[in-house]
Amino acid sequence: MDSDTLNDSDDSEYSVEETAPNKVKNKRKYEDIPTDAPKTKKKSKNELYKPPTVEELNNLRETENLFNNNLFRLQIDELLTEIKIKTKRESALSKWLENFKQCIKKLPTKEIALLNLSNSKDKLYKYLTEQEKLFKTDQDVLLKFTKPEEIQSFGLSDNNCAPGPHLHHRINLTMPSSCFLSKDYSNNRYLVKRYYYLLFVSYYLKQSDLVANLKISRYENNHLLPVIELTPKGTDKTTVFILVTPVEGSFKPTRFLPEQNNCKTDLFDSDIDANVLKNTPTIFYNSLLAHDTTLYINNQFLKSLLEGQKNIQDGVKLLTVWLRQRELNVGVGSFTETILIHLIAYLTHKKKINKFMSSYQIIRNFWNFITTVDLSKEPIALGETSEESMKAFKQSYDIVVLDKTGCYNVASFLSADLYEKIKTESRLALKHLDDNRNNSFNNLFLTKRPFHLQYDAIIDLTESLPLEIDHDVKSQQKCSYIGYKDLLIYKHISDTLKRGLDKRIVHIVPRIEAKEGTATRLLFGLNLNPDEAFSFLQKGPALSDFERASEFRKFWGPLASDRRFKDGSTNVAVYFKTNTIKAKRGIVAKVLRYLLVDKLGLRCRIHYDQFEEFLLCKRLVPSYPSGTNEETCLKIVLASNELGKKLRELSVSLKITGVQGVSDAFAYSEIHPPIPSNFQISSFTSIKGNNFVMKCDADGVPRYVQPVESVLQLEHSSKWPNDLSAVRHLKTSFYLEISKQLETDGLLTHPSRDYLDVFYQGIVFRYKLFVPKEIGLSKRIETDEGLTSFKDSDESDDLELSLNILPKITGALRGIQSMYPSYGPGTCLIKRWLRSHLIDEYHVSDITIDLLNASLYLDENTASNTPQMSFLRFLKFASELDWNLQIVLVNFNGDLTAEEIAKVESEVQNNRNSYPNLFVLTPYDRYSSAFTRRRPSKEILSRIKRLAAESLDYFEKMLAGNSSIGIKELFLPNFEGYNVLIHLKPSMVPRRFERISYGTVDRKVVDKYKLSKDDRIPIVDFDPVRDYLEALRKYYGKYAVFFYDRYGGCTIGVLWDPKTLETTDFKVNKINGGKVIDGRIIAFNEDAVIEDFYVIGKDLVKSIEKRTVCK
Amino acid sequence: MTEESVQGFKILPLVFSQQSTSWHEILLKEHSVRHQDELKPLGQTLFILNVPPYACETGLRNAFSNVGNIKRVIFENAEDQSGDGFKRVFVVFNKREYLLKALKLTQLNPLSSDTQPIKIGVEKWIEDYNRSICDSEQLQQEVNTYMAQYDESKKQKPEEVVDDEGWTVVTKGGRRPGISRKESLANKLNEKTQKSTKKKELKNFYTFQIRESKMKNIAVLRKNFEEAKKKVELMKQARKFKPY
């Protein structure tokens, strides 16, 4: 073969025309080729176009019909495999269960009267007496112990519905009916028998070698439902819960319908009248008994329903993950797995779910059901139930989901408030599915939404546990709550809060964590209603409605007052006097304190607005009332509008048609907006024309005055010259023309080559002209053939960014601010935090932060009502942001269509390295992520991620009360780890007033601005520190990274690039910044460069500290 | 400070001022390249490497003030965005003997001298700021003169040029100026022709076309699937699917 081919090639090369056999040979050779070399090349294309198999077609079609999209399906599959319980774990458990059954079958038969228990010398009885005594009864009972009738496994894991990695297995042991007398259901007799039976089982389990660890805990946090919680030997990450219930037929389930009474004596020390008790239905007590009685039947029913339904099982798994991520299934009164599984059963029963549906459709239908059906109004039942008994249930419980027997309300203990929250969450989940975005799966299943990030305010009542509140409750109500008096107290607190907060809130959700039946942590989460939450008036009933008015007065105590309103009506009302927006936000906290502390006499901690302290500028305050930046920003916006009106009315050669703000102050996201004021001459300044200028030998600098920038648009004209420089000169002449006209109006102006400054109402406004032609011209390149082409250059991009894109973005951000007033101050808080950690404008620009936070506000899931929540949610977002995988979408007004977004997403994903590290997609910058083009760098992004995660972690610890230090630590920079620290002279830092103040500081009040003839335009936008950093980065950016807190920091941190410190062999292009050692090696000339830092920052640098860093 | 050299370069320390305690090592050598540049005449030009960022023309004249007259100083910086401020400098002396003298130097004067100080630090920034505050009259004047010049230069362009052989150049202007030669326009024209040819095609005429379009449909589905798979793979790598 080898020689053959050789011959062939020879032939074809040397003899062009040959005889037939040779041609045949040639042909064969030609055929050989495609099987060999180019196979790999064509593979990808062939793969796409090869005929599909039936299976593949089905799969593709199924994805289209049954799932959202490919990605969603794959993600579901991936998640399901990830949370699958390991087979190893499962088989270990089933092996253990066999042994367990053997052990249980060997249980001896014994009996003893309760009263004799303590006198007995039997080891078992001794053990029983040693245990905590949970229940009292009205009479002595005979405890009969024998092996259980049946051992039933149940729960999610048994039905293959439980997500891993931990395996929680539930077992139900049925006590034979011979253990009971017919009337044992009443007065705790059953409960006592059950409890001792449970202990009896636990005793023998402990004796056996099956158990690694065993304790008595409570089933689904119900303190009257003791359960054995044990870790089986020979398994890992496995927990087994053992419940004891009466065997079917021991009690009639109808005995526990809500109108029945099953507890005639006060066995729970509730201090109630026995006569009342006798005639009152014991609602929750009944539920408890009904639960036990029906457990076996219900389990059988559910098992038969879910058997082999893989998709439904997967759906339940997903929903459990969803609940768990939102912590909605934690604590007393939560949305338990029992409720979940019954609801799924109900949907199957009603044919809303069937086995042909995909898991995606199942979760979708579940959410749809929760969103559309209000269970608090429409009770549902799994079996046949008469209308009457439904009615009875509805009257007794908040939410009614009746089981198969129709006697047990599965949702008895579900708190109505939590249910409301679940409805909201379901609605959001549906929205996520409809949005069909890349990260909707992430948001639904993969990200944790811990309690403290779900609510605008959190009330922590843990300090006042155990709760003892005197409240006048009808003893009848007390009776119906017998056994569950804590529930009544929670309800009372929640009702009081709801009454006091009224329309201010949408949700108030309790979170009660309990251990062994006693509450260990009591929290309430509040979701505010942004329209009403901060209203300063709470109107009560009219004065004429005497009875209700006096009730209102009684409720509000000293806060209530009688008021006459503009429309002539007179009402009793609560009025909160406030003069700042911050104080308005504080009203909620005020109401809460009044209700909890003054009214209910509780000790509490409220997590609501602590962080706002960092928004205050304590060193420099305006003369008008102001809290955060909001008041000053408002003043600026108003002044800018007035001045803009003036500008538009000018008669200049081309009319000014638009004035668009571009400064952060317009979106309220400037933490230190310039305070309107008069400026006097100082020891640093002298006068030049309309302006102050610096004295050359000044030994300090005046405080920083930021210009408020806007872009001017002119009416269209075709007469702009075709030359860049000429256009720019014409722009200058426009500045001069506008300036002249404004001067005749008595305004102070300063036109310069690139902008026009106007001093108006104590604020410096800076205007720049937007001439579209200028951008076009700056892109023009003439090619060699004389063809004119337009190419984006850095210059043209920057120009377009600042004059065309930025105004649109700022406008859109203003829109967000007016929709969500917390946006501005929230963004400020983020900036304050990030800058505190020495990550300055250069690393992450202000506008980038604005956009990132805007992306959170444009998503209903993460839009916040308070600055603090905005900040915390940003931390969460930043700590989870996978900038390499996902783009940040800032879809203002929904301008971008889903197709556009998908296109950009896949484009970025496929060519990840040619796009910015952090890709921010907005409708205004032609998908270029214009603001993050050069930075942030990967290193900075990782650092932010780390910082955010740590800060959040710290905050969580603080919430849990484990941290002794305050939140101030979150805003303290860490100077460890830098190679060099440059200390600046504080007097030369113009932003020195913006530093965070700890403790008390000297306050300087800025006098109110008054129009005066002596006014001059102040030193504006002069910041030597900024200039210094600019120079450092320009000259040494390759060798080091510089860190600085822009808001008044006095120290610059320098970190050498690790490459800088390496030595290299001598090369001419490597010599920069180096020194030569031994005539052949280059080492970095560290000392000289450090001295350069000193030279460049002459008069600004106080000292430079070189640090040795241990690696 | 001992005299050192490496690969033909002479190494000399350069300090900013008399008070400086550390120095940069600059490398110098006679400028020699094949392509001659009028601005950097051979034999008179000194080529210097590793000149610190703040060195300016005055600074270098100070540094070589002992040598002799300097004709010009040419800086070659790295790109603006690179964050490397160290420069290559060409110092052109008036005479060759100065160059030779310079190469024999054992010590350089500081960049900033008392008589010719380099403005740096806060002083420089103050000066920059004060300069940015301009007088509107002056500015007006400046703009006016520029615009006058510009208009003048526009006018000077002859309306019609008749060359030696009697041809008239007719490009822009004229009664029918033709298409302007812009890239965007050329692209537009191309698109137009493409569109018109596409319009003439019949899409669902032959069976193979229908088959192909079906195939394409499947290909798109497959491609999406592959993309999604890739994404999930990436997420998997990032351990995204560990929900808790």
Side-chain angles (χ1 to χ4, degrees):
Chain A
M1 181 72 196
D2 265 355
S3 60
D4 249 306
T5 40
L6 262 177
N7 279 343
D8 269 336
S9 60
D10 280 350
D11 287 346
S12 52
E13 264 194 60
Y14 293 114
S15 51
V16 184
E17 280 184 60
E18 276 288 310
T19 46
N22 249 333
K23 269 189 182 166
V24 173
K25 269 188 183 175
N26 265 339
K27 209 173 183 180
R28 197 195 65 203
K29 184 189 160 198
Y30 173 73
E31 276 172 353
D32 275 344
I33 294 169
T35 52
D36 274 289
K39 193 180 167 189
T40 44
K41 234 186 193 175
K42 281 216 163 178
K43 195 183 171 188
S44 61
K45 208 172 177 192
N46 281 340
E47 203 95 300
L48 280 181
Y49 288 98
K50 74 175 180 202
T53 58
V54 181
E55 193 186 344
E56 195 190 354
L57 260 182
N58 280 344
N59 209 357
L60 288 172
R61 201 171 295 145
E62 196 181 274
T63 308
E64 225 170 79
N65 298 337
L66 304 183
F67 288 86
N68 226 356
N69 56 24
N70 277 317
L71 189 62
F72 212 89
R73 178 181 198 159
L74 286 169
Q75 282 173 319
I76 286 182
D77 290 348
E78 206 51 55
L79 179 64
L80 285 175
T81 33
E82 185 66 43
I83 58 176
K84 193 177 156 12
I85 293 168
K86 284 186 187 157
T87 353
K88 182 184 81 186
R89 205 161 289 157
E90 268 177 340
S91 58
L93 179 73
S94 61
K95 217 162 117 199
W96 183 87
L97 281 175
E98 278 310 306
N99 295 333
F100 170 77
K101 276 177 193 159
Q102 291 306 320
C103 169
I104 291 294
K105 275 184 191 150
K106 279 187 216 137
L107 285 179
T109 308
K110 292 190 169 198
E111 65 174 71
I112 188 170
L114 181 60
L115 283 176
N116 299 340
L117 203 59
S118 49
N119 306 330
S120 172
K121 294 230 164 82
D122 188 296
K123 268 187 187 166
L124 165 70
Y125 299 145
K126 259 193 174 162
Y127 169 80
L128 296 188
T129 13
E130 277 161 18
Q131 300 301 312
E132 190 189 356
K133 216 172 158 234
L134 282 185
F135 303 101
K136 286 202 267 182
T137 81
D138 57 335
Q139 60 181 70
D140 189 21
V141 290
L142 186 65
L143 304 174
K144 285 187 180 169
F145 302 123
T146 179
K147 66 174 196 239
E149 200 105 311
E150 208 143 348
I151 303 168
Q152 178 193 42
S153 291
F154 73 105
L156 289 187
S157 69
D158 189 55
N159 291 312
N160 192 23
C161 290
H166 288 267
L167 177 53
H168 293 287
H169 192 80
R170 294 178 176 183
I171 297 172
N172 177 19
L173 302 180
T174 50
M175 290 169 75
S177 49
S178 60
C179 298
F180 303 108
L181 300 172
S182 60
K183 288 249 175 182
D184 271 356
Y185 51 76
S186 72
N187 296 344
N188 275 1
R189 283 173 229 160
Y190 160 67
L191 295 184
V192 169
K193 286 188 171 177
R194 182 192 63 181
Y195 180 52
Y196 283 106
Y197 191 87
L198 190 77
L199 290 177
F200 154 75
V201 173
S202 78
Y203 174 77
Y204 285 102
L205 281 177
K206 268 189 183 170
Q207 304 281 309
S208 75
D209 55 354
L210 288 169
V211 178
N213 202 347
L214 184 147
K215 66 174 181 183
I216 304 291
S217 64
R218 301 295 177 274
Y219 181 71
E220 292 191 337
N221 283 309
N222 190 330
H223 70 113
L224 297 184
L225 258 174
V227 59
I228 298 175
E229 179 182 343
L230 61 85
T231 331
K233 246 185 203 160
T235 59
D236 73 321
K237 288 189 180 165
T238 308
T239 318
V240 173
F241 296 90
I242 303 173
L243 246 80
V244 171
T245 60
V247 76
E248 205 183 334
S250 306
F251 306 115
K252 259 205 273 173
T254 42
R255 190 56 243 174
F256 311 118
L257 286 172
E259 60 269 31
Q260 305 284 343
N261 175 307
N262 285 308
C263 186
K264 295 198 164 51
T265 13
D266 179 11
L267 297 163
F268 294 95
D269 305 324
S270 317
D271 182 26
I272 31 183
D273 188 353
N275 284 328
V276 183
L277 182 60
K278 264 178 206 161
N279 301 315
T280 318
T282 48
I283 301 173
F284 290 95
Y285 189 80
N286 291 356
S287 272
L288 170 74
L289 297 176
H291 167 264
D292 278 15
T293 319
T294 60
L295 187 67
Y296 186 80
I297 310 170
N298 281 328
N299 288 342
Q300 287 310 86
F301 167 66
L302 292 172
K303 207 177 263 185
S304 67
L305 204 73
L306 293 167
E307 186 106 61
Q309 309 278 7
K310 174 144 191 317
N311 288 343
I312 299 182
Q313 292 167 358
D314 286 349
V316 177
K317 276 186 203 169
L318 291 172
L319 287 171
T320 313
V321 172
W322 174 74
L323 283 172
R324 212 183 274 184
Q325 297 291 36
R326 280 155 185 73
E327 300 185 358
L328 294 171
N329 55 358
V330 203
V332 178
S334 65
F335 195 82
T336 57
E337 58 177 69
T338 318
I339 301 177
L340 172 67
I341 210 161
H342 273 91
L343 284 176
I344 290 287
Y346 175 77
L347 290 177
T348 324
H349 177 68
K350 286 274 159 190
K351 307 266 188 305
K352 289 191 176 164
I353 288 177
N354 60 48
K355 62 176 171 184
F356 301 110
M357 286 182 174
S358 69
S359 52
Y360 168 79
Q361 284 169 314
I362 286 163
I363 53 176
R364 199 189 167 93
N365 284 344
F366 175 81
W367 284 327
N368 198 28
F369 170 74
I370 295 280
T371 317
T372 47
V373 177
D374 188 356
L375 294 177
S376 61
K377 295 207 178 77
E378 306 167 38
I380 55 168
L382 266 169
E384 302 281 313
T385 318
S386 70
E387 213 157 283
E388 256 168 69
S389 92
M390 279 287 235
K391 219 176 193 176
F393 271 103
K394 198 184 149 196
Q395 268 169 7
S396 313
Y397 300 99
D398 292 333
I399 318 289
V400 180
V401 179
L402 289 188
D403 69 341
K404 187 83 182 111
T405 63
C407 296
Y408 171 50
N409 175 17
V410 181
S412 301
F413 296 97
L414 176 64
S415 109
D417 300 318
L418 188 81
Y419 169 71
E420 286 302 321
K421 179 76 185 167
I422 285 177
K423 268 179 97 75
T424 312
E425 284 294 330
S426 299
R427 189 174 53 77
L428 289 174
L430 274 183
K431 214 172 150 267
H432 267 307
L433 292 186
D434 291 339
D435 276 358
N436 196 4
R437 282 250 305 131
N438 228 350
N439 58 352
S440 30
F441 187 84
N442 255 339
N443 286 334
L444 284 174
F445 299 110
L446 299 181
T447 36
K448 274 195 190 118
R449 297 201 180 281
F451 191 76
H452 59 269
L453 291 180
Q454 285 186 46
Y455 302 98
D456 298 312
I458 288 168
I459 306 164
D460 189 344
L461 291 171
T462 310
E463 284 174 33
S464 5
L465 287 174
L467 287 174
E468 290 297 337
I469 302 181
D470 293 328
H471 56 285
D472 43 330
V473 176
K474 284 182 197 141
S475 53
Q476 203 163 11
Q477 203 179 7
K478 256 186 177 172
C479 296
S480 54
Y481 272 84
I482 192 155
Y484 293 93
K485 70 170 183 193
D486 279 354
L487 286 190
L488 194 58
I489 295 179
Y490 303 145
K491 191 172 148 60
H492 177 65
I493 296 176
S494 155
D495 285 347
T496 312
L497 287 173
K498 268 192 235 167
R499 185 171 168 198
L501 291 163
D502 200 23
K503 285 183 203 142
R504 292 181 199 272
I505 50 166
V506 223
H507 291 303
I508 170 162
V509 181
R511 156 85 168 249
I512 305 143
E513 287 168 27
K515 215 175 170 187
E516 264 100 65
T518 34
T520 51
R521 210 164 161 222
L522 175 57
L523 303 174
F524 281 93
L526 261 55
N527 279 129
L528 300 179
N529 167 11
D531 300 330
E532 300 277 348
F534 312 126
S535 116
F536 45 79
L537 186 78
Q538 209 152 330
K539 220 172 179 182
L543 288 181
S544 50
D545 188 351
F546 187 73
E547 203 171 309
R548 281 176 57 221
S550 79
E551 203 181 314
F552 187 87
R553 269 189 220 110
K554 199 180 149 207
F555 184 81
W556 285 105
L559 292 178
S561 56
D562 300 350
R563 293 192 170 258
R564 181 187 296 280
F565 294 95
K566 269 187 189 153
D567 59 359
S569 61
T570 46
N571 290 50
V572 49
V574 182
Y575 173 72
F576 296 93
K577 201 175 168 213
T578 53
N579 48 13
T580 65
I581 303 177
K582 180 180 182 290
K584 255 182 108 175
R585 278 194 293 269
I587 290 176
V588 175
K590 252 188 200 163
V591 174
L592 285 178
R593 283 228 168 74
Y594 169 73
L595 295 172
L596 293 167
V597 181
D598 299 349
K599 229 178 139 48
L600 295 172
L602 295 167
R603 268 172 302 150
C604 65
R605 287 194 297 160
I606 297 172
H607 301 286
Y608 171 61
D609 56 0
Q610 308 97 305
F611 281 108
E612 281 185 39
E613 199 193 325
F614 299 104
L615 289 175
L616 306 180
C617 184
K618 288 186 194 157
R619 294 165 207 271
L620 196 69
V621 286
S623 54
Y624 46 87
S626 91
T628 56
N629 64 337
E630 288 149 294
E631 285 74 23
T632 308
C633 281
L634 182 64
K635 277 210 169 351
I636 291 171
V637 170
L638 291 179
S640 167
N641 288 348
E642 279 173 38
L643 188 54
K645 204 177 155 207
K646 275 191 183 159
L647 283 167
R648 279 198 300 272
E649 281 164 0
L650 293 181
S651 52
V652 269
S653 7
L654 283 175
K655 238 182 153 12
I656 296 169
T657 53
V659 184
Q660 291 177 300
V662 293
S663 277
D664 276 349
F666 287 103
Y668 287 53
S669 61
E670 172 61 55
I671 181 165
H672 297 292
I675 298 170
S677 99
N678 298 85
F679 293 89
Q680 268 87 35
I681 194 157
S682 70
S683 57
F684 315 130
T685 53
S686 58
I687 293 172
K688 179 178 171 187
N690 280 344
N691 292 61
F692 288 120
V693 289
M694 292 290 299
K695 274 186 190 162
C696 288
D697 52 350
D699 58 345
V701 288
R703 76 161 201 265
Y704 183 72
V705 176
Q706 194 184 38
V708 177
E709 295 189 41
S710 298
V711 169
L712 297 179
Q713 281 166 332
L714 299 178
E715 63 181 323
H716 181 74
S717 160
S718 54
K719 285 187 181 149
W720 289 96
N722 249 330
D723 179 89
L724 190 58
S725 170
V727 169
R728 290 195 173 146
H729 277 87
L730 270 185
K731 274 174 75 176
T732 312
S733 92
F734 260 102
Y735 296 139
L736 287 160
E737 197 182 346
I738 298 168
S739 139
K740 242 177 232 156
Q741 294 213 17
L742 288 177
E743 300 241 309
T744 54
D745 228 10
L747 288 176
L748 272 175
T749 62
H750 166 239
S752 81
R753 273 179 199 83
D754 305 319
Y755 55 82
L756 168 70
D757 278 352
V758 182
F759 188 66
Y760 183 67
Q761 292 192 355
I763 305 161
V764 181
F765 290 95
R766 178 163 291 181
Y767 293 101
K768 287 180 184 172
L769 270 182
F770 170 48
V771 180
K773 189 148 195 180
E774 187 188 2
I775 295 168
L777 287 172
S778 69
K779 285 183 189 173
R780 189 160 78 174
I781 302 166
E782 258 179 51
T783 57
D784 298 338
E785 304 109 56
L787 195 69
T788 316
S789 70
F790 292 86
K791 283 236 166 68
D792 292 351
S793 62
D794 275 353
E795 190 203 353
S796 73
D797 281 346
D798 289 344
L799 209 59
E800 187 166 7
L801 195 69
S802 59
L803 295 179
N804 187 17
I805 301 172
L806 192 58
K808 286 182 195 158
I809 299 259
T810 312
L813 292 176
R814 275 175 90 161
I816 291 185
Q817 163 66 25
S818 60
M819 244 176 99
Y820 304 98
S822 70
Y823 168 75
T827 313
C828 289
L829 208 44
I830 297 166
K831 286 179 186 168
R832 178 69 267 190
W833 170 76
L834 207 55
R835 306 302 185 220
S836 292
H837 291 286
L838 308 183
I839 292 170
D840 69 349
E841 172 82 15
Y842 170 87
H843 295 300
V844 187
S845 60
D846 278 345
I847 187 78
T848 308
I849 302 173
D850 291 343
L851 285 173
L852 290 181
N853 201 28
S855 83
L856 296 181
Y857 273 87
L858 287 168
D859 179 352
E860 204 186 333
N861 251 319
T862 43
S864 316
N865 291 323
T866 63
Q868 172 152 332
M869 207 12 80
S870 172
F871 172 60
L872 290 172
R873 287 196 176 148
F874 178 84
L875 289 186
K876 172 84 178 153
F877 163 78
S879 68
E880 276 167 1
L881 178 64
D882 209 330
W883 32 268
N884 205 20
L885 282 180
Q886 76 198 68
I887 65 172
V888 178
L889 176 68
V890 192
N891 196 358
F892 291 118
N893 313 320
D895 281 352
L896 292 165
T897 61
E899 288 81 43
E900 277 176 288
I901 297 166
K903 211 178 112 199
V904 177
E905 271 182 341
S906 80
E907 170 66 24
V908 173
Q909 205 44 253
N910 292 336
N911 307 301
R912 191 63 193 91
N913 288 335
S914 47
Y915 286 95
N917 296 323
L918 176 69
F919 193 95
V920 181
L921 179 62
T922 74
Y924 305 128
D925 56 0
R926 293 182 292 144
Y927 322 137
S928 66
S929 187
F931 296 100
T932 57
R933 218 164 353 123
R934 296 184 199 121
R935 272 170 295 270
S937 65
K938 285 183 181 169
E939 292 77 18
I940 292 293
L941 281 169
S942 311
R943 177 151 176 87
I944 293 173
K945 199 169 169 164
R946 276 286 299 283
L947 278 171
E950 289 295 323
S951 301
L952 209 55
D953 192 45
Y954 183 88
F955 180 71
E956 267 165 54
K957 276 190 193 138
M958 204 189 79
L959 266 191
N962 297 337
S963 172
S964 54
I965 5 179
I967 45 173
K968 279 180 177 161
E969 312 288 322
L970 281 182
F971 289 79
L972 276 183
N974 181 359
F975 284 106
E976 294 302 315
Y978 294 102
N979 297 104
V980 177
L981 293 181
I982 305 175
H983 298 287
L984 308 174
K985 289 182 191 162
S987 65
M988 300 303 276
V989 177
R991 285 174 175 262
R992 52 190 175 266
F993 294 103
E994 300 174 4
R995 215 176 314 145
I996 292 185
S997 33
Y998 298 100
T1000 49
V1001 283
D1002 290 340
R1003 256 161 60 110
K1004 194 179 160 203
V1005 178
V1006 179
D1007 290 332
K1008 195 175 175 217
Y1009 172 75
K1010 276 187 214 121
L1011 191 67
S1012 137
K1013 275 184 185 159
D1014 302 330
D1015 268 342
R1016 291 284 184 283
I1017 298 178
I1019 306 280
V1020 64
D1021 204 24
F1022 175 64
D1023 186 351
V1025 186
R1026 187 188 55 200
D1027 295 337
Y1028 180 49
L1029 278 164
E1030 222 165 73
L1032 287 178
R1033 280 171 178 145
K1034 192 173 153 205
Y1035 296 153
Y1036 304 101
K1038 189 178 156 192
Y1039 308 102
V1041 195
F1042 300 89
F1043 296 88
Y1044 176 64
D1045 176 5
R1046 181 170 62 153
Y1047 301 121
C1050 280
T1051 307
I1052 296 174
V1054 185
L1055 199 63
W1056 300 125
D1057 189 313
K1059 272 192 209 135
T1060 306
L1061 299 177
E1062 288 168 11
T1063 52
T1064 52
D1065 288 341
F1066 183 84
K1067 263 184 204 151
V1068 171
N1069 58 1
K1070 289 271 168 71
I1071 183 65
N1072 282 358
K1075 58 185 174 192
V1076 180
I1077 302 173
D1078 300 336
R1080 56 183 185 85
I1081 292 170
I1082 301 176
F1084 183 58
N1085 197 347
E1086 191 177 349
D1087 289 334
V1089 171
I1090 290 176
E1091 186 154 332
D1092 287 356
F1093 293 167
Y1094 199 80
V1095 168
I1096 293 171
K1098 197 175 151 232
D1099 299 330
L1100 173 65
V1101 175
K1102 190 166 77 180
S1103 63
I1104 296 183
E1105 183 183 342
K1106 188 175 158 186
R1107 295 201 162 191
T1108 45
V1109 183
C1110 23
K1111 281 184 182 170
Chain B
M1 293 182 199
T2 52
E3 195 177 317
E4 276 184 272
S5 68
V6 58
Q7 290 189 6
F9 285 97
K10 187 180 162 74
I11 301 173
L12 279 182
L14 178 67
V15 293
F16 176 73
S17 65
Q18 295 286 353
Q19 289 82 39
S20 299
T21 53
S22 310
W23 57 89
H24 280 289
E25 289 180 353
I26 62 166
L27 275 64
L28 18 106
K29 166 182 179 178
E30 188 180 342
H31 179 54
S32 62
V33 278
R34 247 177 276 155
H35 302 289
Q36 205 170 336
D37 185 345
E38 270 180 39
L39 290 171
K40 306 166 194 162
L42 290 181
Q44 275 166 264
T45 309
L46 184 67
F47 175 46
I48 316 176
L49 281 175
N50 199 22
V51 177
Y54 43 79
C56 53
E57 182 160 345
T58 330
L60 282 162
R61 280 178 194 272
N62 282 338
F64 289 97
S65 56
N66 288 350
V67 178
N69 279 345
I70 292 172
K71 202 191 264 173
R72 68 177 76 88
V73 181
I74 300 166
F75 289 95
E76 269 182 16
N77 281 32
E79 293 162 54
D80 250 14
Q81 289 296 321
S82 71
D84 187 358
F86 290 91
K87 310 170 197 180
R88 299 157 171 236
V89 179
F90 299 92
V91 176
V92 185
F93 291 99
N94 276 356
K95 291 179 187 164
R96 176 155 178 83
E97 58 185 86
Y98 296 150
L99 172 66
L100 296 177
K101 202 170 157 194
L103 284 168
K104 278 191 193 122
L105 280 178
T106 53
Q107 206 185 338
L108 291 170
N109 290 336
L111 285 168
S112 181
S113 69
D114 292 339
T115 49
Q116 294 274 326
I118 296 182
K119 285 233 164 115
I120 204 143
V122 174
E123 204 181 338
K124 176 170 175 278
W125 297 317
I126 287 180
E127 202 181 274
D128 286 349
Y129 180 79
N130 290 353
R131 211 181 301 128
S132 78
I133 306 296
C134 42
D135 186 58
S136 47
E137 303 270 299
Q138 256 173 16
L139 195 61
Q140 185 73 59
Q141 207 98 52
E142 201 180 295
V143 171
N144 288 349
T145 38
Y146 179 87
M147 287 319 290
Q149 261 174 19
Y150 177 76
D151 289 344
E152 198 66 20
S153 69
K154 272 245 148 166
K155 257 184 213 161
Q156 268 174 14
K157 275 187 190 162
E159 294 284 299
E160 279 181 355
V161 188
V162 182
D163 71 3
D164 299 345
E165 289 167 30
W167 294 97
T168 312
V169 181
V170 276
T171 46
K172 277 184 189 172
R175 225 178 293 153
R176 307 182 70 183
I179 309 161
S180 66
R181 301 191 62 196
K182 280 195 221 156
E183 200 187 26
S184 56
L185 231 87
N187 287 345
K188 249 184 211 166
L189 278 176
N190 265 341
E191 258 171 47
K192 226 179 182 178
T193 47
Q194 268 177 6
K195 250 188 200 165
S196 65
T197 50
K198 251 192 187 167
K199 255 188 194 168
K200 285 172 199 158
E201 265 174 39
L202 285 169
K203 271 195 183 140
N204 285 326
F205 190 71
Y206 299 106
T207 354
F208 83 89
Q209 282 177 322
I210 296 167
R211 195 172 356 127
E212 256 176 20
S213 77
K214 269 188 187 165
M215 220 42 227
K216 246 183 212 162
N217 211 355
I218 291 177
V220 168
L221 283 180
R222 278 180 178 154
K223 214 178 126 205
N224 286 345
F225 183 65
E226 289 302 318
E227 260 176 34
K229 239 161 83 183
K230 224 164 84 190
K231 240 181 235 172
V232 169
E233 195 51 46
L234 280 172
M235 287 177 75
K236 226 164 118 186
Q237 276 166 16
R239 308 187 121 258
K240 272 272 179 182
F241 289 104
K242 281 239 179 298
Y244 23 73

